[in-house]
Each structure stands twice: as C-alpha cells, then as structure tokens.
Amino acid sequence: MTPLAPSGSVNDILDSVIAKLIDATGADAALVRLVDRERGEFIVPVHKGFPQSFVEATKFKGSGSAVEVAFRTGEPIIAADIASDPRIKGKEQLRVGFHSCAFLPLKVHGATRGIVHLAARQVGYFTADKAAGLLAIAHQMGIAIENLEMFDAARSAKESLESTNRKLDQQTQDLLRSNAELEQFAYVASHDLQEPLRMVTGYTQLLVKRHRAQLNGNALEYCDFIVDGAKRMQGLIADLLTYSRVGTKGQPFAPVPAEEVVKRTLQTLAVAIEESAAQVSCDTLPTVVGDEGQLGQLMQNLIANGIKYRNGQAPEIHIGCVRQNDDWLFSVRDNGIGIDPQYAERIFILFQRLHTREEYDGTGIGLAICKKIVERHGGRIWVESEVGKGSEFFFTLPGMEVSDV
Ligand code: ADP
C-alpha cells in the first residue's frame, strides 16, 4: 500500500484506506468499526460492499460476538468458513452472501481502537495462514491514523499558540494605548492645574501686600501657609509635567556623545558643586544612541542626588561606563548617606521619598523620571548601596552601533 499522507480528516483517510484494503486483499466487502471513546460504542465511519441494512444491524455488537472478542483481546479472528466457525455467532454475513471473513484489530498508539472487517463471498478465501499479511495492512492503517492524530495535535497546538500570541499582542496594544492616554491625561491635567494655582498664590500675595493693615497676626500666618502650600503644589505639578513629558514629548533617538552630556550637566550643576566642594570624576564615555535632552536629565538627576544626599563631607562622585555584552553599563557612585537596600526598588516609584522635606528638600520624582527615561531607551536602572557607605546607581543603554541610526 502507498503511504497515507496526513491530510484531511480521519474519515477521508479511512475512505481511501477502504478502497486500498479491498484492492490489496481482494475482499468483496470491507468496513471499519471504530470505538467512540466518549460513548463506548462502535461507529462505522466507512464501509464498502456490505448492504446498508447489514451495517446498521451489526453496529451494536454484544458480548461474545467476534467483533467484541477481537476488540477485547486485540487478536485477529479469521474465519475460512463462516457457516461452520463457532466463533462467528450471528451468521448475518451468510444472509447477505459472505462466507469467509477476517476481523483485524486496529491499533493506534498501542491501544485497540477499532476493528477492520473484511468479507469474501468465496468459502475459504480468508485463512489463518494469511493472518500476518492482513495484520500488516491493519497495522499500516493504525499508523496512518496515528500520524493524522499527531498532525492534528501539532496543528491545534500551533493554532492555540497563535491565538495566545494574538491575545498577547492585543493586550500589549491595549496597554500601550491606556499608557499613552494616562500620560496624555497627566500632561493635560498638570498643565491646566498650573493656571488656577498661580491665581491662588498671586491673589494671596496681593491680599497680604494691599490689605496687610486689615489682617491680624494669625491671618498673615495663614496666608503664608497658603502661599507655601500652593508653591509646593506648583513644584509637584511641574515635576509631574516633566515626568509625563518623558513619554509624550520625547525626541527621536540620535547619536549622543555621553561625555558631552556629562560636561553640560556639570556646568548646569556648577553652583551646587562649588557650594558643596564636590569632586566629580568620569571614565572615558562612549557615544550612545538616544534622546540627548533626556539623557542629560538622567545624568543631572543622579549627580544632583549624589551631591544632595551627602554625608557631612565633601561629595565624591564618579561616573563610570563599561561594555557589558550588547549594552553599555553606566554607573554614578557617591560617598553619601547611602540607602537601606530594602528601599532599593521603592525609591524609583513616583513621589516615594525616604526623607522629610525638612531633612532634604525634594518631591520624590527625580528617580521616577530617571527610570522612565532609561526604560524609554530600552535599558534598566537600579541601585546598590549600604546605609552610611554611599550609593552606586547603575543603568544600561543598548549598545547600538551609532551607524545603525
Ligand atoms: P527626591 O530627591 O526629590 O526625594 P528622588 O526620586 O530623586 O526624589 O529620590 C527618591 C529618594 O531616594 C530620595 O528621597 C532619597 O531618599 C533617595 N535617594 C536618591 N538618591 C540618593 C542618593 N544618591 N543617596 C542616598 N539616597 C538617595
């Protein structure tokens, strides 16, 4: 028999098999019974040469019938003469003109799944000495079904993988959209909140200036609180605006010489560096690919923190960079107060601070901005530190070839 390709359904396969069975064995009729594993009864998906009435009548084979025995034992039953063979009980085949028959177990994945039933009009057509050849044919049929099932399993696994991927893509799209909407909201809200806040500060200051005489001591103090609170809120809103701008107002990536970025940052921080007598050293830095303004902001936040969170001594800050596989690994190390490692992740969350405003001024947004900038560039940021022993902030940037941009 020619090999059966795993295409089409089991029924298609069986259809071509039955024709080939008759061809190969010279039988006058053939049918395949498969056990319906859910209902535990036989179904006859294909047959040829048997009258339909016979097929219907033999669907339900009781205990002890040749079909049932061959199925249960997994052994073939070959009857040269149906009329005299005691294993063939009902003799219906005789009534429809068949005198010799073979029941061959159909094994798939080692288990009997059904029976191939061959019948011939001629007495003595199927004999025990033909068993090996007949079984080989049934065996090949089993392999064809096995292949088809494996092919079906592989196809459905592939389909389920594709559907999972589609769902994942959809979720990513949804997430990106809701993130963009949120950023847009934060941008609009923080932008629009500035104006009414300016009014609160402005008119409170005007009240104090023009009506100082009518305001008693307490009222003046309350006005100071209002202005102070409103100014703080202005600071927070301005930071929030900067934060939301990382995603909404970023510039396209271009080659950026990191050394230039650090040089400019140190100029911006010149006053703080001078006041604190900070020493800043720097490795030779590469040209990276990114948003120059944002990389400047990243460096500025990290270096400024190194100066701000000093430990009663002149800050010593070192900016390093090494190649790590496909990335650049930057580091900003200081000799400041350090961070308890249990807060190492929390400090990168918006508005999370480890100090009161009285201890160190700030809004707790600087490192959240750093994280957002690094992530927009496809990198990671983290800190390694010990309380009292200084901190080292690390971030990676993909080491793209500048010529790739
Ligand atoms: P801010 O400085 O406005 O509080 P950041 O987001 O820059 O906001 O920092 C969050 C917190 O992380 C700070 O409040 C501080 O406790 C801690 N931190 C940041 N940088 C350092 C540093 N170099 N040394 C010690 N602590 C730091």
Side-chain angles (χ1 to χ4, degrees):
M1 291 172 92
T2 47
L4 293 155
S7 60
S9 67
V10 172
N11 279 12
D12 289 344
I13 289 255
L14 292 176
D15 260 340
S16 76
V17 158
I18 209 98
K20 285 180 182 176
L21 264 179
I22 289 180
D23 215 35
T25 60
D28 296 309
L31 70 74
V32 175
R33 288 188 177 85
L34 288 179
V35 75
D36 178 339
R37 279 182 288 183
E38 266 162 35
R39 285 192 271 164
E41 59 184 41
F42 283 117
I43 50 167
V44 180
V46 279
H47 61 88
K48 197 168 184 186
F50 288 110
Q52 187 63 33
S53 57
F54 173 83
V55 176
E56 293 301 327
T58 59
K59 253 185 194 168
F60 307 100
K61 278 292 179 186
S63 158
S65 68
V67 171
E68 191 271 330
V69 172
F71 184 79
R72 180 162 41 82
T73 61
E75 295 295 330
I77 292 179
I78 297 171
D81 183 5
I82 293 173
S84 62
D85 197 316
R87 293 171 302 171
I88 313 294
K89 299 273 175 353
K91 314 289 184 198
E92 285 105 317
Q93 293 184 82
L94 287 179
R95 281 195 283 280
V96 288
F98 299 109
H99 293 273
S100 177
C101 69
F103 294 98
L104 310 168
L106 184 60
K107 293 189 181 178
V108 178
H109 295 296
T112 308
R113 282 279 190 85
I115 295 292
V116 178
H117 178 178
L118 302 171
R121 296 192 187 283
Q122 190 189 327
V123 178
Y125 187 81
F126 292 110
T127 49
D129 59 331
K130 286 191 182 156
L134 292 172
L135 279 176
I137 292 169
H139 179 65
Q140 210 191 349
M141 236 179 114
I143 289 176
I145 295 176
E146 251 171 51
N147 287 347
L148 183 76
E149 285 183 351
M150 280 194 292
F151 177 78
D152 277 352
R155 184 170 49 195
S156 75
K158 186 167 163 256
E159 277 168 6
S160 107
L161 197 73
E162 281 170 358
S163 127
T164 310
N165 280 346
R166 270 196 303 276
K167 276 190 206 138
L168 225 71
D169 273 357
Q170 185 61 44
Q171 278 169 356
T172 311
Q173 291 303 325
D174 289 349
L175 215 68
L176 283 175
R177 202 187 44 240
S178 79
N179 226 357
E181 280 169 7
L182 212 65
E183 272 180 355
Q184 196 60 31
F185 168 76
Y187 178 75
V188 172
S190 40
H191 189 266
D192 291 359
L193 280 172
Q194 283 178 322
E195 181 50 31
L197 258 185
R198 264 198 290 272
M199 280 181 69
V200 173
T201 351
Y203 279 101
T204 313
Q205 283 167 334
L206 207 63
L207 188 71
V208 174
K209 200 169 150 195
R210 300 243 175 106
H211 304 276
R212 182 172 278 276
Q214 287 116 293
L215 297 171
N216 67 21
N218 271 352
L220 283 173
E221 196 188 3
Y222 297 159
C223 286
D224 280 348
F225 289 155
I226 294 173
V227 174
D228 186 46
K231 280 196 171 149
R232 232 165 356 109
M233 196 156 166
Q234 267 170 346
L236 283 170
I237 286 173
D239 280 348
L240 205 56
L241 201 57
T242 315
Y243 179 78
S244 66
R245 274 189 178 132
V246 175
T248 53
K249 301 274 181 281
Q251 296 300 310
F253 289 180
V256 179
E259 226 158 272
E260 289 296 315
V261 172
V262 171
K263 215 188 268 175
R264 266 200 300 278
T265 305
L266 297 183
Q267 280 163 8
T268 313
L269 295 173
V271 175
I273 291 173
E274 206 180 307
E275 277 177 5
S276 61
Q279 299 287 327
V280 184
S281 56
C282 185
D283 284 352
T284 308
L285 300 181
T287 291
V288 295
V289 174
D291 177 331
E292 187 162 1
Q294 292 189 347
L295 292 177
Q297 190 159 32
L298 168 66
M299 278 297 177
Q300 186 175 325
N301 289 0
L302 294 178
I303 298 171
N305 276 354
I307 297 172
K308 178 160 69 165
Y309 295 103
R310 60 182 173 269
N311 204 2
Q313 53 185 339
E316 283 170 20
I317 295 168
H318 180 76
I319 298 135
C321 182
V322 290
R323 184 78 186 191
Q324 199 182 53
N325 304 323
D326 291 339
D327 293 332
W328 290 113
L329 174 65
F330 284 82
S331 57
V332 178
R333 188 180 66 226
D334 64 48
N335 60 341
I337 59 171
I339 298 162
D340 186 335
Q342 67 170 312
Y343 302 123
E345 295 196 3
R346 216 173 89 179
I347 55 171
F348 292 98
I349 298 172
L350 208 61
F351 299 132
Q352 294 284 335
R353 309 197 66 220
L354 304 180
H355 305 280
T356 61
R357 270 189 309 124
E358 286 68 37
E359 290 172 297
Y360 294 95
D361 192 30
T363 53
I365 218 165
L367 289 179
I369 290 177
C370 291
K371 186 168 192 282
K372 213 167 172 207
I373 291 174
V374 170
E375 286 176 355
R376 181 177 170 234
H377 284 75
R380 282 189 322 119
I381 185 167
W382 69 99
V383 68
E384 287 174 14
S385 180
E386 231 180 283
V387 175
K389 298 210 171 146
S391 313
E392 188 161 16
F393 284 82
F394 294 92
F395 64 88
T396 61
L397 292 177
M400 268 185 261
E401 287 302 319
V402 171
S403 56
D404 288 348
V405 182

